[in-house]
Amino acid sequence: MPGAMVGDHLPGRTVLGCNNVIGHHAVIGVKCQDLKYKPGDECFLHIGDNNEIREHTSIHRSSKSSDKTVIGDCNLIMGSCHIAHDCNIGNNNIFANNTLLAGHVVVEDYTHTAGAIVVHQFCHIGSFSFVGGGSVVSQDVPKYTMVVGERAELRGLNLEGLRRNGFTATEIKSLRTAYRKIFMPVDSNSTSFEERITKVEEDKELGKITAVCSMIQSLRDSFAQNRRGICKFRYFSGS
């Protein structure tokens, strides 16, 4: 569209796939805003197919030659969004206006952000999750969950997103049961967070549900070395 700029006079390259729309005055594939970048280093941006990148969005190349900023396929990136250096964005995501991602953020698939959200560097946003408007995300968002808040907190499962994306009633019921066992124990002092995760893993019924296993793995991955842990959550008792 008029006013858009794609690529920059830098070593390295910006690669776009097929059927992408670049909106008015968007700036795609320019120098990153990382002071560690050394002039003359190669830097890269790879964008897949069928993405709609709306007006005034900025997407930066990587900060070093050993990495690259990646945007997958079929993403809707609305106006005035920012995707910083070395981010890795999957497929079929929807970023509402003014979604701002710092460097090295990983967003999986089928996520949805509301407007004016900020994501801290190195955070991971799990598949089929939802980030509420105005949220500041400073830790990982597990798969299938919903977070919101000035310092984003877990507020349950992204039930509407799961239904829209074809999850069965059995899968959703199992995810709700697993979520309650992990995040809404009757007595939070009786067992540790790790013990509750293990108990769900070992459950004869829940342990057979692929979606539950995927959520558990997402939680465990967030506590791996050099990861930021998951967003805070409140203990609620009851149904």
Side-chain angles (χ1 to χ4, degrees), residues 204-218:
K204 292 181 179 180
E205 297 299 327
L206 296 176
K208 297 178 182 177
I209 305 298
T210 301
V212 173
C213 295
S214 185
M215 183 176 72
I216 293 296
Q217 189 60 53
S218 177

Side-chain angles (χ1 to χ4, degrees), residues 7 26 51 75 85 155 184 194:
N51 296 288
N75 297 288
H85 60 89
R155 297 296 177 89
M184 302 169 65
E194 172 64 27

Side-chain angles (χ1 to χ4, degrees), residues 10 23 37 47 51 56-57 91 99 102 108 128 158 179 198 209:
L10 292 170
Y37 172 74
I47 297 178
N51 296 288
H56 299 286
T57 288
N91 307 314
T99 291
E108 297 180 0
F128 301 99
N158 179 23
Y179 185 94
T198 301
I209 305 298

Side-chain angles (χ1 to χ4, degrees), residues 4 40 147 225:
V147 301
Q225 188 175 9

Side-chain angles (χ1 to χ4, degrees), residues 113-127:
T113 72
I117 72 117
V118 179
V119 182
H120 191 282
Q121 60 193 23
F122 293 101
C123 284
H124 287 230
I125 311 297
S127 297

Side-chain angles (χ1 to χ4, degrees), residues 13 17 77 97 102 111 122 148 192 226:
R13 61 184 179 271
I77 303 173
N97 300 68
T111 71
F122 293 101
V148 69
S192 68
N226 299 324

